Amino acid sequence: MPLLKLFKILLPLILLTGCGFSLSKVEINEQTFVFAMYINEGKQKGTVEVTISAPLPNRLTSGRQAGGHGGGDPYAMVTKTSTTVQDTLHLIQRDLSRRFDFSHTKVVVVGKSYAEAGLEDLMDWLQREPTTNLRTYLMVAPGDAKKVAELTPVFEQMPSEVLIRFATQHNMINTTLKDCLYAESANQGYALTYLAAQKKPMVADQEKLEPWTGIQGTAIFHNHKLLTTLPMQESLAVSWAVNEVKGPLYTVSWDEGAGRASVFLISTNSKKSVRMVSGHPVFTIKLLGIGDVIYKRNQKQLDTLEAKRIIERELNDMVKSELQKALRTSQRVGSDILQLGMLVDWNYPDHWEKVRSEWANYYKNEVEIQVVTDIRVRNFGTTLKMKPK
């Protein structure tokens, strides 16, 4: 009993010993916190180019204008090239005065050519690095990944913060390292956000052309290799199917363009199910949504109910068609981007054991996917004065 009381007294004191009792052997002021990484194929065959982006604490002042260049950028970027990601990072570390720490890495952007060659080297390093954050977002650049890092962070301090916002705001699918590893372990595919890099005139800088980065779609992977890409509208439908997109806006037209309406979806949801038919799985993807009409133009003045019926019909047909096209593309390349194989595993484990090893070919040739949409218009605003249900 005395020993138990003594332990109760000493335990709080041990927890208050500070950094000196920490298991970490590196002090915080001796570390370089890598916020983002940009990976490209090297200029020489069989090499990889790695760029790290890390903040400079002495320049991260609250009074500094975000995106400005006065006093220098609040982050540093270092680039090296070698045969593997591990070797390249070792070369970068050799030139730094502080030790790497990847626990704060939130985004990794890979160049398109590197992604087409395969991400096995990168994934191997990410799994072996002890400070890796499994919630790191992965994205694909259309060309050189470093071009994305050159974007002008108008509303943020660092480019990495802009990329993180793309994912957390649910404008497109936000795939993490954990999602990629989980999909690959089950022999299924996954989709990453496909970025766009260009130059645009900045109003704040007298219309000066500055690097700008946006989203142009999704990139489809299988076995950690980029197979193809999807355009924006199909990508939105895929993001909806995995419950990632929030607040999408759709514009539909009818009567050969004479009628037009824009619907802002305030609520979106999806459901997936599977049933066995003649020994083969048949999947049903159901997209549900409720939206408000925020713009309507029609040369023929329709009453509320008739306009509602037309807009809902056109909207359901549009979204259904976009998801069907995206799924046909994924089946053509054999990448189960919705990870429908998981449903087979959960509901028909015996059948899954038979097809798991050849799931890519099975998904490509033997799987039937049905798409159902149930999107409803809640109201038309003040113009038609339709009361919400």
Side-chain angles (χ1 to χ4, degrees), residues 147-378:
K147 294 297 182 182
V148 172
E150 295 172 358
L151 69 87
T152 305
V154 178
F155 300 101
E156 311 296 340
Q157 286 190 315
M158 292 176 284
S160 60
E161 292 179 309
V162 178
L163 300 176
I164 294 168
R165 294 284 185 178
F166 286 163
T168 57
Q169 289 181 348
H170 298 278
N171 294 327
M172 192 60 65
I173 196 166
N174 53 349
T175 307
T176 65
L177 171 61
K178 180 181 177 181
D179 298 327
C180 297
L181 297 177
Y182 191 59
E184 188 62 24
S185 66
N187 196 24
Q188 298 176 62
Y190 56 87
L192 303 182
T193 297
Y194 187 40
L195 301 171
Q198 55 188 316
K199 287 192 175 183
K200 285 190 175 184
M202 299 291 107
V203 177
D205 294 327
Q206 291 78 42
E207 300 296 323
K208 181 182 178 182
L209 289 176
E210 295 285 354
W212 186 266
T213 295
I215 299 174
Q216 62 174 313
T218 55
I220 296 179
F221 285 75
H222 184 66
N223 290 331
H224 292 316
K225 287 187 177 182
L226 172 60
L227 303 178
T228 188
T229 59
L230 296 176
M232 179 63 76
Q233 290 303 114
E234 295 177 28
S235 300
L236 282 174
V238 171
S239 302
W240 189 340
V242 295
N243 286 313
E244 291 292 354
V245 70
K246 291 184 179 180
L249 176 70
Y250 285 91
T251 299
V252 297
S253 60
W254 61 95
D255 288 342
E256 298 181 349
R260 183 180 295 270
S262 296
V263 181
F264 178 76
L265 294 171
I266 61 171
S267 173
T268 57
N269 191 19
S270 71
K271 296 180 180 179
K272 295 180 286 188
S273 61
V274 61
R275 66 185 189 277
M276 296 297 292
V277 178
S278 301
H280 297 284
V282 176
F283 298 95
T284 300
I285 313 297
K286 187 173 184 179
L287 303 183
L288 304 98
I290 298 175
D292 295 336
V293 174
I294 60 175
Y295 167 80
K296 177 180 174 293
R297 184 193 71 190
N298 188 15
Q299 293 178 349
K300 299 178 181 178
Q301 292 300 321
L302 304 174
D303 61 39
T304 299
L305 293 178
E306 186 177 2
K308 178 177 182 294
R309 178 181 60 81
I310 293 175
I311 294 172
E312 286 183 341
R313 180 196 66 202
E314 297 296 330
L315 182 57
N316 278 273
D317 289 346
M318 172 186 285
V319 175
K320 180 178 180 179
S321 175
E322 296 295 347
L323 182 55
Q324 286 176 331
K325 287 189 290 185
L327 292 175
R328 282 196 296 267
T329 300
S330 74
Q331 286 190 282
R332 176 176 56 82
V333 298
S335 176
D336 181 9
I337 56 176
L338 299 186
Q339 298 173 7
L340 300 176
M342 300 293 183
L343 293 178
V344 181
D345 187 14
W346 297 335
N347 293 277
Y348 305 99
D350 293 338
H351 186 76
W352 176 245
E353 287 300 319
K354 297 178 182 179
V355 301
R356 175 174 179 171
S357 61
E358 298 295 331
W359 179 247
N361 290 328
Y362 192 86
Y363 174 76
K364 182 177 182 180
N365 301 309
E366 304 294 338
V367 165
E368 179 183 349
I369 306 176
Q370 299 175 349
V371 178
V372 178
T373 57
D374 184 9
I375 308 170
R376 302 182 182 182
V377 173
R378 187 181 65 166

